[in-house]
Amino acid sequence: MAALGCRSFSFWDGLDWDDCFRDRVLNTLLPLLLISASSFSFILHSFRSSSRKARTAESVAKLDPSASSFTIPQTGTQVNGHSSVQSNLSLPSRTQSSLLVKILSSILPWNSSRIFTSRSRSVSLSSRSGILANSSSSTDSSEAALEVFRTENAVILNEVHLTPIDKTSEQEKAKFRSLELVKRLIEVAGSVLLATSHATAWAMHARNWSWDVSWGALWIYFAVLSSYTLASKHSLFTHKAFMLISYFILSMFNLRTSLLEFFRARSPISEELLILASVQAGLAIVTLIPTLFFPLQSRLPIELRAIYSTINPQTQHGEARTAFPSPNLHPTDQDEACQRDGIHSEMQEKEEADSAPLLPPEDKASLFSRAIFGFVTPAIVKHYKVQFTLPAIPDLPAGDKAAAVVAAFRARSSKRHAAASSGEVMDSGKLLPSSAPLWRRLVRHFLGLLLLQMLWAAAEATLVLSPAFFLNKILAYIAERGERIKNGTLDEGPPVHIAVLYAFGMLSGQILTSISASQALFIGRRICIRLRAILITEIVTKSLRRKDSGGAKDKKLEGGEEEEGAEDHDADDDNDKKQGGEKGDDVRATDGQVVNLISVDVFKVSEICAYLHYLFPKTPITITLCVVYLVSLLGWSAVLGFAIFIISVPLQVFASSWFVKLQKQLLETTDQRLNLATEVLSCIKTVKFFAWERSFNERMDATRQKELKVLSYRFMAWLLNTFTYMGTPMLVTCVTFGAHTKIFKQTLTAETTFTALALFNTLRNPLDALPDMVVQTLNSLVSVRRIDKYLREEETMKYNQLLTNDEDRLPNDPVVGFQDASFCYSESDEEIEAGAFCLRDINLTFPVGELSIIAGPVGSGKTSLLLSFLGETRQLSGRTFMPCPVARALAPVDPATGLSESVSYCSQSPWLLGTTLKENILFGSKWDERRYRACIKACALEPDLKILEYGDETEVGEKGTSLSGGQKARIALARAFYSSAKHILIDDALSAVDAHTAKHLFQHCLKGSLAKGRTILLVTHAISLCLPGAAFAVAMDDGRVVAAGTPAAVSATGVFGDEGLSTNGDGGSETEDRGDLTFEHLAEGGQEAVDRAEMQKRLEKKKAHANEETYASGSIGAKTYGLYLGSVARKKLAVVLCWFSLVLIFVSVRAIDISSGAWLMKWAGAHDYKEKLAANDATSAFSMASAQQVAQPLYVAPQWNDFQTMRPSFNLGYLGGLVNVSSSSFSSFLSPSTTTRGEPEGILLASATSPQLVMSAASLGASRQPEKSAEDLDTYYLYVYFAITVAFVFLAVFRDAYEFFMSLRASRIIYRKLINAILNAKPSFFDKTPIGRIMNRLSKDIETIDQEMAVSILFLMDCVLSCTAILLLICYTTPLFAFVAIVIMAIYYVIGTLYIVSSRDLKRVESVQRSPIYTVVGEVLQGAVTIRAYGDAGRFTRHCLRLVDKANRAFFFLWYENRWLSIRVDVAGAFVAFIASLFLLSRPDIEASLAGFTLAYAITFVDSVLWIVRMYTMVEINMNSVERIGEYLDLESEKQDGVEPPAYWPSSEGSIVVENLSVRYTAEFPRVLSGVNLEIKPREKVGIVGRTGSGKSTLALCFFRFLEAEEGAIYIDGIDISTVPLKTLRQKLTVIPQDAQLFSGTVRSNLDPFNTFEDAELWMALQRCRLASTETPAVSRAVSRAPSRPGSPGLSSDPVRGEGEEEQIDVSARTNVITSLDDPVLQGGKNLSAGQRQLLALARGLLKLRDSKILLLDESTANLDSASDAMIQKTIRSEMAPQATIITIAHRIKTIVDYDKICVLDKGKVVEFGSPKQLIDTEGGIFRSLCEQSGEMTELYRMAEQAEEERSKADGKSPK
């Protein structure tokens, strides 16, 4: 100030600005600073703009150089042959930092960059790509990984281009341009006029000349800027807006100064200055209006602008038809679609409409609208009556779309981009994935937004003290006015307009605080959704690249080289270990852990990043300012109070740390519960077949009890946190005011008490939340490291193996084959040396364009050979040759053949998407109806489409659960042949179909017209069928090729035994009765008009029965509330008593709270009483009644109202953390009194929070206590207040504990009901409902009930009571406020109603839209091998990006509405306080204590209303989880009851009679079985055959009552099974289904999950199923339940380990892989081959035969070779079940041809029934035709005849 010529440092003189400060600083220095800042930033931006654009364009261009028009700077040459078109954006090439580099660049310009970057590039990419030391070369491997990286980027960039920059119509664009032109013209005119006005003022010499010169210069500068914007495309909006707003504020102050001067002097000059100031203020308003209210175009991020300007979209990556899911085609539109060569059905139009949602309202919102979120209002008003659905939610801004965000992140955080700043020498043509820690890359990417968020947070932290500051000023004015009234000097004090100015300052401060807080939080939410998009996309794309090792351990990089950032990673890993993270850093993440990364870790990281500004700078600034203000107000007593806060921090840290540890334990126990639930649901058929529902229910309940136990401990930690949260501020109040009165001998005046308590309240929140914030930030950092660790896991070596060999191919190298190749799954050389399964010394060359078969016994390595072709195994040596496009879109299709050099793959267990049958076949390929029809016919799917109710529009269910095994196999086969792949790999697809269908597939698919020109590698056990037609055959055993060559040559070796010899017999010449159909014959037909009309009706019916996840509309019903409230106890009376007692406890806590507040105010009023007594000479007796006339502590809104912490009232979902207002209650009482003037006064006391959150007024008319000294009086008040507050804290903690107890009771009861309902539901429910949908109830919905429900309900009740009490209080003390309250309540009703309705719908939509993300992640994890084989990773990446956008749309708009509500409530609250202030200032007789009391409560009232709105919405949202669970509680259950049969039932002498049996799956489906009649005699072996879909498996299900009979019945041993209790029936029957479902655990836990059998029995079952040798059990029995050989390599965690473990001469011993009952079994038996899984399931089923006399085998040996199948069947009949009745469903005729009877089913009816010999002898019979089509007629006839003779001998008869 002295430097400016001012003699004092004051800036306010009590009425106005100090003259010198106003003239020299505000009106001279400030405009010059504005000019300087604007000029400097403009010049700096101009210099940096071009270089920044060029650098960004370069980084973006290197994401996909082949698509970029930007010239990538080269180090002397073109890199990798990527040509580029010269652009006007380019950078000078960087000079090399070394002389050697320069020399080599001159000598070897084409290779210098590779020489100097090979090491860094290979090391970096080897980390990302998982390249092992024995790879061919790190450079080649890097090139392969780089190609994959670029292809990913190309897909993402093309997805960006699908979002146009500006989607507005031309009319709207013209309107916007017109408004922008008007705005700029107004700015030019306004600046000229303002400059003229200041020139006029300067000419008048009426004020300081520097004033008008400075402002005149600014407006001249402004006019120049405005003229520049008229002539250019730049708007310079920020420059002009900042200057206009600054001038407008100062012009208002200058106008006020002129008014004061005019009323003081009333001279002509003052009048002229007033006119001039008014004109200038008016011009400022007119010029500012367009800036505030005209549309403002959002600016795209610089990376997005670079993508649009420099990247050319590549159509092969962005075709709409390759969107996922595949385009739906309505059957009635097929002919038209074929003509159009595209798809434009209703479903596609719906998808296209959904892909083009409403325009983002923020894009062209005005500055004012953005500040108050006014652009959200139209949508909120519209959807008050119309429900919010996904299409109605506006789109995300272009810069927030997932594709744009991910592309920008990759461009910024790439290796090349990072190296640009460090000067590292790199090949400038390459962009490598960064190796820096993920958290560092994220911080670097979001640094700009974080800084902007911090700027708004700093403004909020500064402004948050404004209410307390201006409250102090207003109360001081009222107190001074009261003194002047007493003294009769009212005219001598400051005028009333000063107090009005203070009230206006409070209004402005609150509004600006709300705007600043909203903007900071909104920017945080923008970071949040962008972070989600980045992390989810990176996890999904990593899953598409990750090595499929089936649980194998990842190994660290070999070779001793460390990559950039390695030290950081090591430190991170060490940190993780210290913090209880994963102990084994080399353990590969399981599928469940990957899903948890997205559902838990990504959410945690994104949430914390939305609130980082609380950690810095908001908390430090708030604490600093509060402490400074408190010290200036209270002196050293404030320091003592603050010290108590600091001392309490360690206790809070301890409570927080304990809570975090318990939270981790809770997550672990929750994982255990959910893992078990997932496995039970995945194997629900097995659970029901074995009647294990009750046993697994008990096991699931045990895991639930563990979870609830940890949850109870977590609640204890919560209570400790609550105790410190509530107790610390009370102790601070006692210490501060006690020290102020007792130690420093100061009095407590009203203004001091109000202000100090308000400041303590403001200080309390950041100090209390700071430890939580630190802990949550550290936890989020751990989550980031967990994600980073996953992103660094080993990736598939597919591209390194296949792309490298493709590039180095020699003329004589095979197109498809191996050279000296060896493969394994294990990554450990020690395990390989110890005997781990390997493929060794493979040398094969498969003929191109021909069919080749691969055969061998179970466990010989057939599947491993196909996976090695796909690059999914570890290549130990040699070379692999197989075309491998990174993306099939990049493989050109030959127009002549329609084929491309790509691969399709059919896995042994068909992988299907949970969509329609048609979409599974198309799989993203271009629609071609003729080809589609040909595939349907060739794969024998036409009969199935007629059976399926909705034809090819039938939903196949998750993993194809609604289809039979044969149907799934043929759909996967049709998908492979529909694709344009020239090379097809098929893994044993024929095993799942019957002989007739197998022959059809072989003739018309594998050898038909669709196979023309295709190389087909078929793994099969159907040797006799396929060998004659094959061009090449491979026989495998024990991981080696034992024979390879032409079929004749291989058969001559005898490796195929009788099957190989039979190919030369009667069964199977290649040309015999082949009847091949041409492509034209296959493609002809289609649907007739009648068929299409019928299908149209069916599809309409399908819509009515669609099994899609829905969400409710409107408010939650009373039934849902009753479900939760009634679950706290089992009896209604107990329920009523529980809730009634809780209400009583709340009332008690509130009463104590009121007492504490009243006592504190009485204490503060005691000092004022003595002054009043002396002034009025009044005397009265001491009475407690008059002493209770005190003001009440006030509720102060929480500052952390948007951050989720871990206290009971904090964990409230998306609303974030809330101050523990639930600890408060409201009551009121009236205390009459008489003031010193004899006027009756009364105060209704109320409390809104705990006593420490108070702004108390001094008591009115407090009674005298003449017998006590002031010191004794203070001691008395202090002790009593301390006692009251201690009682309050302990009772409040008890109340919360009781509340949590009730919550645990409700959680326990609801979960048990839910599990019972699910496990007892009908099997059809699981066929229609995806597991993910059920798990959503068991995870997120149960979590909501556990942790959030009770708190939100009670918080709502408390807020309602608080608001009611405050309203009555204010209206009583200030009656005029009642009229304002009515208006305010009406406004708040409108605001609250609008918000509740729309936000509830948005939350429901957001919850539903999260599920598809988890679904696609699960599908990617399960089908990564298939997706990579098809080269279709790009489509799933695009699908993931779109799903993230859908979820983010609802989430982001929900936060739009959240800010919309918050800012309106805050602004309304500010106006309420402002109006209340004016009412109080208008009453000269008002006292300071009453004024402060009323004013503070006016503010509190609005905050209470805000939390009512938010809490009601939260309760509704949380009750949605109860509602969703309630839907499942009403599931139709299986009929459990019945009459118990005799204990011996069924006896070995009992027959089975099926009498006129008819069943259907659901009412809308046709009958599957119709009039089936069968009679099976005791101990008969009956085989059931028929084509796929004939009803074989359905008949088996009927025996177990999976389907109840619609007509007829099944009688077993004379008893109708429908009358037998379901559990008894299923325990007495044994079934071994085709789908071998295994649980994760051990061999023992799969065979005997409930410890029913002895080890000897388990080993016997394994031996008889040929899974164990006779020597092993002796070793195992010695240790019983402990592992026999912990280190045994017999059964590892590899996917196909154990194939051919030990070379045995006996064929039956080839499957001996189990060496210990404690050998591990991964989830689903992932570490076993399909045959081994079937054998283990068979062993489990055979154990049950001890209590069962009936055995059903449903294709239980379909995946075994013929020799193993025959051996197992013989063992079952002769050893395991010699006295049992056996019913076998088989496709392999040889399996059942020696049975007693054969039943032939066709279309759900019995068409033949008799002995095999009789049926074979029947001319024209179906069974005879099946035998003939099998190619083994002679052998089958011989076996049937021999079996007939044996039966005849046994019966004492001669054969016929």
Side-chain angles (χ1 to χ4, degrees), residues 107-161:
I107 300 174
L108 301 172
W110 56 88
N111 239 358
S112 59
S113 60
R114 180 174 299 179
I115 292 173
F116 284 98
T117 61
S118 61
R119 178 183 181 277
S120 61
R121 186 168 66 247
S122 63
V123 172
S124 172
L125 277 171
S126 61
S127 168
R128 189 174 180 91
S129 304
I131 299 163
L132 298 175
N134 56 11
S135 296
S136 57
S137 95
S138 59
T139 302
D140 292 338
S141 300
S142 298
E143 291 296 332
L146 182 59
E147 186 65 28
V148 176
F149 184 60
R150 283 179 173 170
T151 304
E152 273 184 15
N153 295 334
V155 171
I156 295 171
L157 291 172
N158 276 276
E159 187 67 17
V160 174
H161 277 286

Side-chain angles (χ1 to χ4, degrees), residues 767-788:
L767 280 176
D768 179 76
L770 184 60
D772 294 341
M773 190 67 192
V774 172
V775 171
Q776 297 295 337
T777 303
L778 293 176
N779 286 340
S780 299
L781 185 59
V782 172
S783 292
V784 172
R785 288 168 174 166
R786 279 162 47 90
I787 297 171
D788 195 14

Side-chain angles (χ1 to χ4, degrees), residues 180 183 186-187 237 240-246 248-249 284-296 364-375 515:
E180 185 65 19
K183 171 179 170 291
I186 291 175
E187 289 173 347
F237 179 84
K240 295 186 292 185
F242 199 78
M243 287 186 281
L244 280 171
I245 293 173
S246 300
F248 168 74
I249 295 173
I285 293 173
V286 172
T287 310
L288 183 60
I289 284 175
T291 299
L292 291 179
F293 299 104
F294 277 33
L296 175 62
K364 286 186 169 59
S366 66
L367 182 63
F368 179 76
S369 179
R370 291 169 192 249
I372 66 168
F373 293 87
F375 55 86
I515 292 175

Side-chain angles (χ1 to χ4, degrees), residues 1419-1580:
E1419 289 177 335
V1420 164
L1421 292 171
Q1422 292 293 325
V1425 173
T1426 303
I1427 295 170
R1428 286 197 292 260
Y1430 276 86
D1432 215 17
R1435 187 162 61 98
F1436 284 83
T1437 301
R1438 280 200 309 278
H1439 182 47
C1440 172
L1441 293 170
R1442 294 176 186 181
L1443 290 179
V1444 171
D1445 281 340
K1446 286 183 178 181
N1448 278 346
R1449 272 168 59 191
F1451 177 81
F1452 201 44
F1453 203 83
L1454 182 63
W1455 274 94
Y1456 274 145
E1457 292 200 358
N1458 185 280
R1459 293 298 93 211
W1460 179 90
L1461 171 71
S1462 179
I1463 203 165
R1464 273 152 186 76
V1465 169
D1466 291 343
V1467 170
F1471 273 101
V1472 168
F1474 178 68
I1475 294 171
S1477 300
L1478 297 182
F1479 282 162
L1480 295 173
L1481 292 173
S1482 65
R1483 292 181 56 187
D1485 60 333
I1486 196 74
E1487 302 229 359
S1489 56
L1490 180 59
F1493 175 74
T1494 305
L1495 181 58
Y1497 263 107
I1499 302 172
T1500 303
F1501 164 72
V1502 178
D1503 292 325
S1504 298
V1505 175
L1506 168 64
W1507 291 114
I1508 287 177
V1509 175
R1510 287 186 170 178
M1511 282 299 96
Y1512 180 74
T1513 306
M1514 178 56 63
V1515 169
E1516 290 276 289
I1517 290 171
N1518 289 340
M1519 276 295 170
N1520 183 44
S1521 295
V1522 181
E1523 183 180 52
R1524 286 157 53 86
I1525 289 176
E1527 294 173 1
Y1528 277 27
L1529 297 184
D1530 297 331
L1531 290 176
E1532 185 179 2
S1533 63
E1534 295 179 293
K1535 180 184 175 183
Q1536 300 287 338
D1537 55 351
V1539 179
E1540 284 289 343
Y1544 61 82
W1545 183 88
S1547 67
S1548 58
E1549 301 299 325
S1551 61
I1552 300 174
V1553 178
V1554 181
E1555 185 177 288
N1556 195 32
L1557 181 66
S1558 298
V1559 297
R1560 68 177 80 224
Y1561 282 101
T1562 55
E1564 67 267 17
F1565 283 99
R1567 286 181 174 179
V1568 187
L1569 295 178
S1570 180
V1572 174
N1573 289 281
L1574 285 175
E1575 182 176 356
I1576 301 173
K1577 297 179 180 179
R1579 295 184 298 279
E1580 272 193 336

Side-chain angles (χ1 to χ4, degrees), residues 1255-1317:
M1255 284 194 247
S1256 61
S1259 65
L1260 303 177
S1263 300
R1264 294 178 298 164
Q1265 300 178 9
E1267 68 277 8
K1268 293 186 179 183
S1269 66
E1271 185 174 352
D1272 292 339
L1273 193 64
D1274 289 332
T1275 304
Y1276 168 69
Y1277 283 125
L1278 180 62
Y1279 287 167
V1280 174
Y1281 177 74
F1282 182 76
I1284 293 175
T1285 54
V1286 168
F1288 169 81
V1289 171
F1290 281 101
L1291 187 58
V1293 170
F1294 172 75
R1295 178 209 56 199
D1296 288 350
Y1298 187 65
E1299 168 194 336
F1300 295 147
F1301 167 77
M1302 292 174 58
S1303 174
L1304 288 173
R1305 289 272 301 172
S1307 297
R1308 181 180 289 108
I1309 292 174
I1310 289 176
Y1311 185 80
R1312 284 177 175 170
K1313 289 181 180 179
L1314 177 61
I1315 291 300
N1316 286 332

Side-chain angles (χ1 to χ4, degrees), residues 51 280 710 1079 1087 1281 1410 1418 1466 1508 1514 1648 1681 1802:
S51 60
Q280 291 173 347
V710 178
F1079 183 85
Q1087 290 181 313
Y1281 177 74
R1410 279 201 311 263
D1466 291 343
I1508 287 177
M1514 178 56 63
D1648 184 22
R1681 297 287 174 183
D1802 187 31

